[in-house]
Amino acid sequence: MSMSLADHLRALPDEALAGLLRARPDLTVPLPGDLSALANRAQTRLSVARALEALDLFTLEVLDALRLLGAAPAGTATHGTASLDAVLTVTAPYVTETRAAVDRLRALLLVHGPDTALRPVSVLDEVCSAYPAGLGRPAADLGDTAATELAADPAALRRTIMSAPPEARAVLDTLAAGPPVGSLTEARQDRTDDSPVRWLLNRRLLVPISDDAVELPREVGLLLRRDEGPLGQLHPTPPVLPTRKRGGAVDQAGAGQAIEVVRLVEVLVNDLPAPILKAGGLSARDLRRVARTAAVDEGTAGLLLEVAYSAGLIGVLDNGTGGAHWLPTAVFDTWLAAGLAERWQILAEAWLRMPRQAALIGTRDERDRPMNALSGELARSGAPALRAAVLAMLTELPAGTGAEAEDVLAVLRWRSPRRFTRPTLLAAALSEAATLGLTAMGALTGYGRALLAPESVDDPLGVLDREPGSVMILAALLPAPVDQVLLQADLTIVVPGPPSTGLAAELAAVAVRESPSVYRVSVDSLRRALDAGYAATDLHALFARRSTTPVPQALTYLVDDVSRKHGGLRAGSASAYLRSEDEALLAELAADRRLSGLAFRRLAPTVLVSPYQIARVIDALRDTGYSPVPEDATGAVLLTRAAPRRAPTAGFDRSSGQPLELPEAYLAGIVEELRIGDARARAARKAPVVVSGTIDDALAVLRDAIRDRVAVWVGYIDPHGSTISRLVRPMSIGAGYLRAEDERSETLHTFALARITSATLA
């Protein structure tokens, strides 16, 4: 009788058991009570699927060899074993690589047993393809007598294959490469040889398995693979990664893109608010609007908004009446005050850890609904790990060395073909890294490399306890912030570099930005500055102090003209009133037909009143060219620098998204707890229990019973240590438990898999 998986775990040394938990940390959550529970959890579909994601292509091919060589005969519930020598024979000449792959499978507990009897866990048949190595089932298992007789005569089989027409031989070669199942489009009643598939069916080289599908028997596939071997072409090493030396131009190009990304995020976030859809997210119309404002495509705008949201720069403000909007947060104001390199680092860190997939914006989900930016449908927990894997490939290259995206993706698909099943998302990760300035010219930038190094990642907001690195490298590449501008006669202001924080604030107050380096002074911008508290002398001094060129006369005249008119009128509540020492000006207003809608009435030579609200009066006056300013009840001028609306800071995820790494001391403690729990569970059994086969056998019987919906006698140990047998119909297996129905009492029972000792079909 072969050793059960639980017994195999008991025989492992503590170091090997800790290694298993380190490689498969999901087995520790929640902590199993004993080694039997750990063995059962290690054989669940979800846990095995996670373990398979860590395997490279060749290791999966070796696992296929084990499954193929140890395939159980049709109609049996047990899974066979295979010897290491047999595996080495079918994977020759890759002896060293095969031994390493088998050791890896053992370490992950996907395979156990001695070299003479290696046994894959039974659930692999459910998680992996039903056709190991892409080969079909033996002809005897397909239930076709004629095909079985042909397969039993190698000479006749070879002659039949050699007589196949070219079109039929092409079908055979395609199915032999795997998978071995194809469609049958012709009518079953048609027995002529007019089509390649029908020719093959008539010669029993293909066997129909349903009304519209055929299967290539294993014997035929093995004969067609005689030149390559039973496993087909093997891939013991990753594809060659051609590289190109890029030199110092990589950092320069990346730094330019970093400046652009910071600017675009500022523009996009400043263009909010935008309403939230009922289903969540930002509408396609609003995304197009903000994209036009920033002069970028919608894909880039969606990516940068997602990054800003992950960085906490965007949040949701709900006024309580259903009018929720996307708005900047207070963190955005802090971010604006930081240096250019610090702002870039915050965005890059947010992209690396955000559990969302921006590349899905604009696509449709499984229910054919559009996936919008900032919506919950974009959440993908594996997105950070995918980005980390893509960038880890580039960190392995020498500094300043790049590679083509197609070559990088080919190596990644070899390293983990079950994890990286969507090449478009891998390509999107590389494209997003280039958009953010982490990479340039296909190579990782120097500051990007420092950002990815755990010992040298910056943390401007004090979020991570790490040493500085990338900010200092990037700051050295960026042009120094400038405090001076060039004033031109057409009232434009040219900024010859990234503005300092103080200069940027002053320019935002007195001018309107037209491009990343050009601002324009206008009547409205000057009026806004005067409303905020600037005086004419302040504006003249600002322009003279900041400009390296003489202040244009036109700008001086414009400042004087706007400031002279500004405040000549005073507005208050009557609903509204106007007062001015200039009686002629008030007379002009009262007679101005453009303002007849305000229904002015003169109370005194220096006072007009209106029945309308002060905001409407001021807007109407400004629209017709006047410059009123509001005042309070005491006559003091009210400054109108409106405080920007801000959303509360979101509780965004700052986790790295990387697989859980358990400390060695913690692993040692878990192993000790498992040993103690296992000893207690075994001691609680009052009498020896006769187990019908191994735990793998019992699980196989239970899974077959679930599939066939038949009753099973289940033997188990109750909480008092007594062995009990119950006739039930299994319903499901998951999370370490069997759920089954007692048809006699019409009750549902739950059995811990760790306590099941046997399972026999009724």
Side-chain angles (χ1 to χ4, degrees):
M1 184 179 298
S2 60
M3 180 184 294
S4 70
L5 192 59
D7 289 336
H8 172 74
L9 289 175
R10 293 186 183 102
L12 289 177
D14 289 352
E15 295 77 10
L17 197 54
L20 169 65
L21 300 178
R22 185 185 305 107
R24 296 176 64 177
D26 61 290
L27 298 179
T28 65
V29 183
L31 189 65
D34 54 37
L35 292 176
S36 294
L38 178 64
N40 291 330
R41 187 176 299 172
Q43 297 180 89
T44 59
R45 282 191 291 258
L46 180 59
S47 181
V48 169
R50 287 174 175 168
L52 291 173
E53 289 184 353
L55 300 181
D56 59 62
L57 179 57
F58 183 69
T59 305
L60 289 172
E61 291 170 343
V62 172
L63 182 59
D64 266 356
L66 284 165
R67 295 176 59 219
L68 183 67
L69 295 170
T76 62
T78 60
H79 200 289
T81 63
S83 68
L84 179 59
D85 289 340
V87 177
L88 291 173
T89 300
V90 298
T91 59
Y94 309 115
V95 175
T96 303
E97 294 86 347
T98 301
R99 290 184 181 275
V102 171
D103 290 342
R104 176 67 171 152
L105 293 170
R106 278 173 161 160
L108 290 171
L109 207 61
L110 298 174
V111 171
H112 63 98
D115 287 350
T116 56
L118 295 170
R119 181 189 296 274
V121 293
S122 57
V123 78
L124 283 171
D125 292 333
E126 302 176 27
V127 178
C128 300
S129 168
Y131 302 100
L135 290 170
R137 292 169 289 176
D141 294 351
L142 295 175
D144 190 304
T145 304
T148 303
E149 293 176 355
L150 178 63
D153 188 347
L157 180 60
R158 187 178 299 106
R159 288 194 301 271
T160 306
I161 292 176
M162 293 181 65
S163 67
E167 296 83 0
R169 181 57 185 266
V171 172
L172 287 177
D173 291 338
T174 299
L175 295 179
V181 178
S183 299
L184 177 62
T185 57
E186 299 86 358
R188 291 293 302 275
Q189 293 77 14
D190 183 8
R191 299 296 180 183
T192 66
D193 291 343
D194 291 342
S195 71
V197 174
R198 180 54 57 190
W199 190 96
L200 296 170
L201 283 170
N202 290 342
R203 272 85 182 159
R204 298 300 188 267
L205 294 176
L206 290 181
V207 176
I209 56 176
S210 68
D211 290 340
D212 58 355
V214 294
E215 184 173 330
L216 184 75
R218 179 171 299 176
E219 294 84 354
V220 180
L222 289 172
L223 185 58
L224 291 169
R225 290 184 180 183
R226 62 187 180 276
D227 295 332
E228 293 181 338
L231 300 180
Q233 183 180 1
L234 296 175
H235 305 82
T237 57
V240 176
L241 182 60
T243 58
R244 294 184 180 181
K245 188 70 175 177
R246 303 296 190 185
V250 172
D251 284 357
Q252 295 296 334
Q257 182 62 23
I259 296 174
E260 179 67 3
V261 164
V262 171
R263 182 191 72 82
L264 289 175
V265 169
E266 181 179 347
V267 173
L268 289 168
V269 176
N270 270 323
D271 202 38
L272 300 176
I276 297 177
L277 296 172
K278 290 183 179 179
L282 186 72
S283 70
R285 181 182 61 184
D286 285 321
L287 180 61
R288 285 193 296 270
R289 174 180 61 81
V290 297
R292 282 197 303 269
T293 301
V296 295
D297 60 86
E298 294 173 29
T300 301
L303 167 65
L304 296 182
L305 286 174
E306 289 286 346
V307 172
Y309 175 65
S310 181
L313 309 183
I314 297 174
V316 176
L317 182 63
D318 193 341
N319 57 17
T321 61
H325 286 75
W326 294 107
L327 279 170
T329 66
V331 175
F332 177 65
D333 298 321
T334 305
W335 180 79
L336 287 176
L340 187 58
E342 286 85 352
R343 281 186 277 170
W344 174 86
Q345 189 270 340
I346 292 171
L347 298 177
E349 277 282 350
W351 175 75
L352 286 170
R353 67 174 175 260
M354 73 176 187
R356 301 172 61 78
Q357 192 58 265
L360 299 177
I361 296 174
T363 62
R364 308 189 80 83
D365 62 14
E366 62 278 359
R367 288 183 283 182
D368 200 36
R369 297 180 305 182
M371 302 179 73
N372 297 307
L374 303 176
S375 66
E377 287 80 5
L378 300 182
R380 296 293 186 277
S381 60
L386 184 146
R387 298 186 196 105
V390 171
L391 294 177
M393 276 289 304
L394 299 180
T395 60
E396 297 174 10
L397 303 178
T401 302
E404 297 298 328
E406 295 78 7
D407 298 325
V408 173
L409 300 185
V411 176
L412 283 173
R413 288 195 293 271
W414 181 90
R415 289 185 174 183
S416 185
R418 289 183 62 92
R419 175 180 296 166
F420 303 128
T421 57
R422 299 185 63 179
T424 53
L425 296 184
L426 291 173
L430 281 171
S431 175
E432 291 172 4
T435 299
L436 288 165
L438 269 166
T439 63
M441 305 169 66
L444 193 62
T445 60
Y447 55 87
R449 192 178 296 271
L451 182 69
L452 296 173
E455 69 276 5
S456 61
V457 175
D458 298 309
D459 183 23
L461 291 184
V463 176
L464 307 170
D465 187 16
R466 295 175 176 176
E467 296 297 326
S470 63
V471 165
M472 296 175 60
I473 297 173
L474 179 58
L477 295 168
L478 299 177
V482 298
D483 290 322
Q484 302 288 281
V485 299
L486 304 174
L487 291 176
Q488 303 193 104
D490 61 352
L491 302 182
T492 58
I493 303 174
V494 178
V495 185
S500 64
T501 303
L503 176 61
E506 290 179 346
L507 290 176
V510 302
V512 177
R513 185 182 229 170
E514 292 189 340
S515 73
S517 59
V518 177
Y519 293 74
R520 181 176 295 278
V521 180
S522 65
V523 172
D524 288 337
S525 69
L526 291 175
R527 181 185 294 153
R528 186 178 69 243
L530 292 169
D531 286 346
Y534 282 91
T537 54
D538 299 329
L539 295 174
H540 288 310
L542 186 154
F543 291 129
R545 183 178 73 256
R546 293 295 189 183
S547 179
T548 59
T549 58
V551 178
Q553 193 175 47
L555 179 57
T556 301
Y557 287 164
L558 182 64
V559 171
D560 290 339
D561 185 53
V562 173
S563 61
R564 183 173 55 255
K565 295 179 180 179
H566 188 268
L569 293 174
R570 300 295 183 90
S573 296
S575 293
Y577 68 83
L578 293 176
R579 71 180 183 88
S580 175
E581 298 302 323
D582 189 344
E583 297 181 13
L585 177 59
L586 290 182
E588 177 186 343
L589 288 174
D592 194 330
R593 294 182 179 180
R594 296 174 298 173
L595 301 175
S596 59
L598 297 179
F600 281 130
R601 183 165 58 90
R602 197 162 189 170
L603 296 183
T606 59
V607 180
L608 292 178
V609 296
S610 170
Y612 298 104
Q613 294 296 322
I614 183 173
R616 176 176 175 179
V617 172
I618 290 177
D619 289 343
L621 289 171
R622 287 178 173 173
D623 289 343
T624 53
Y626 298 96
S627 299
V629 294
E631 65 179 15
D632 61 14
T634 65
V637 174
L638 295 176
L639 301 180
T640 58
R641 178 183 292 174
R645 294 173 64 198
R646 290 294 182 254
T649 302
F652 49 94
D653 181 21
R654 293 191 182 275
S655 63
S656 65
Q658 297 304 306
L660 178 65
E661 294 185 4
L662 303 178
E664 294 300 322
Y666 182 67
L667 286 173
I670 292 178
V671 170
E672 183 179 358
E673 288 293 328
L674 287 172
R675 299 285 191 198
I676 294 173
D678 194 61
R680 288 173 177 169
R682 299 177 71 184
R685 302 174 184 176
K686 298 180 179 179
V689 178
V690 179
V691 181
S692 176
T694 66
I695 186 63
D696 287 351
D697 300 335
L699 288 173
V701 171
L702 292 172
R703 292 191 180 98
D704 288 343
I706 292 172
R707 181 193 62 205
D708 300 332
R709 299 183 178 181
V710 297
V712 174
W713 283 102
V714 174
Y716 68 101
I717 301 172
D718 68 10
H720 304 290
S722 302
T723 304
I724 299 176
S725 191
R726 186 183 295 272
L727 180 64
V728 294
R729 185 166 63 85
M731 307 293 291
S732 65
I733 295 177
Y737 290 91
L738 166 69
R739 292 168 181 81
E741 181 184 15
D742 189 333
E743 295 181 339
R744 292 172 297 181
S745 61
E746 296 184 352
T747 57
L748 188 65
H749 296 277
T750 301
F751 303 91
L753 294 180
R755 291 183 173 273
I756 293 178
T757 61
S758 63
T760 307
L761 291 174

